[in-house]
Amino acid sequence: MKIRRIIGAVLAAAMLLVLPACDGSEHAEPTPTGYQATGENNPNVPKNEYREDAFVSVGGFKIYTAADAASHIGIDVSTHQGEIDWQQVRAAGVEFVMIRAGYRGYTGGGIYQDANFTANIEGALAAGLDVGVYFFSQAVSTEEAVEEAKATLEWIADYEITYPVVFDWEEITYDEARTDSVDPETVTQCVKAFCDTVQEAGYIPMVYFNKNQGYDIMNLEELAGYEFWLAGYSESPSFEYAFEMWQYSATGTVPGIQGNVDLNICLVDYGT
């Protein structure tokens, strides 16, 4: 199956790329400005055509066994995984990693590089893994989203990035945050600003979201042209619309990493 590359705006419910897999059974109404999220049964957004029975578990990882898409085993990491033995990770069968490059503080709004970014990216590349990166955003305007993209681009400039550069905007539910009053339309525009900046620099732009956000926050039709990274913890992905990457577990175990790690499958060939 030829996957059309598309993107959406992100509004998540937990930090560090761990989102609940929501059903999205109730959907948002249009706002006074006329903004409307994608909803279900939108004929103008490419559909998910993956075979649910083709997602199987082998050796602790999900693989896709049908011939209509690629299948690559991956993880995503940040400083919370601590020191990683990347040679062990590669030997376990992991092909790619999405590394947190940095984040914006949810109270003061400062931009910070992930404390383990350099060690992670250099270790993963030395072990022969394909690498992409993500930025944990708390942008409240398009100007801040561009600022986040430029910081990310500066940090990755000296490294070989073969996987996407990802915008990860998340709602802070456990504390007061500077983003509490940001509306979905603003988030959508922030995604566009970040991803346009990344694309202009020659990288593949992507957005991370869960199913509920894809239906009720994003306008996928408006954001056509970018990549999707879906989060949903189930046996197979039931999201209606097309996506390129799926995060299917937040409690994976991989040799070389102490504690839990997010597990992913990529369904397109980004790597070299």
Side-chain angles (χ1 to χ4, degrees), residues 29-35 185:
E29 296 296 327
T31 68
T33 65
Y35 176 84
E185 185 172 12

Side-chain angles (χ1 to χ4, degrees), residues 29-197:
E29 296 296 327
T31 68
T33 65
Y35 176 84
Q36 187 168 8
T38 310
E40 294 187 58
N41 303 313
N42 188 321
N44 299 317
V45 181
K47 296 295 189 286
N48 170 10
E49 297 180 351
Y50 300 119
R51 286 176 41 193
E52 289 193 13
D53 63 348
F55 289 96
V56 299
S57 295
V58 177
F61 300 111
K62 293 279 189 188
I63 63 172
Y64 187 72
T65 59
D68 60 348
S71 179
H72 299 286
I73 294 170
I75 59 175
D76 61 84
V77 301
S78 71
T79 188
H80 289 264
Q81 273 66 52
E83 184 177 349
I84 295 173
D85 185 327
W86 287 104
Q87 296 294 337
Q88 285 193 46
V89 171
R90 184 69 182 93
V94 175
E95 300 171 78
F96 74 91
V97 57
M98 305 300 293
I99 296 171
R100 188 174 76 163
Y103 60 96
R104 186 185 289 276
Y106 67 83
T107 54
I111 288 180
Y112 306 94
Q113 187 181 89
D114 186 281
N116 283 25
F117 169 70
T118 301
N120 281 337
I121 197 167
E122 292 183 356
L125 289 170
L129 276 73
D130 284 308
V131 171
V133 299
Y134 70 92
F135 185 93
F136 180 86
S137 173
Q138 288 290 280
V140 299
S141 67
T142 56
E143 290 79 12
E144 288 194 349
V146 170
E147 183 184 23
E148 293 171 352
K150 288 182 176 179
T152 303
L153 293 170
E154 180 180 350
W155 294 332
I156 66 176
D158 294 332
Y159 300 106
E160 183 178 8
I161 306 298
T162 52
Y163 267 61
V165 176
V166 182
F167 185 72
D168 170 30
W169 196 101
E170 302 194 17
E171 181 183 23
I172 304 301
T173 59
Y174 49 83
D175 199 356
E176 291 185 1
R178 66 197 303 271
T179 50
D180 285 347
S181 61
V182 175
D183 61 273
E185 185 172 12
T186 297
V187 177
T188 298
Q189 296 307 313
C190 286
V191 174
K192 293 173 68 175
F194 182 99
C195 289
D196 283 347
T197 305

Side-chain angles (χ1 to χ4, degrees), residues 195-203:
C195 289
D196 283 347
T197 305
V198 166
Q199 191 169 56
E200 289 169 2
Y203 297 94

Side-chain angles (χ1 to χ4, degrees), residues 237-266:
S238 59
F239 188 62
E240 180 180 349
Y241 303 113
F243 55 91
E244 284 70 43
M245 197 181 299
W246 175 36
Q247 182 191 81
Y248 56 85
S249 176
T251 57
T253 57
V254 174
I257 299 177
Q258 297 184 4
N260 292 334
V261 65
D262 296 338
L263 302 180
N264 299 273
I265 181 172
C266 185

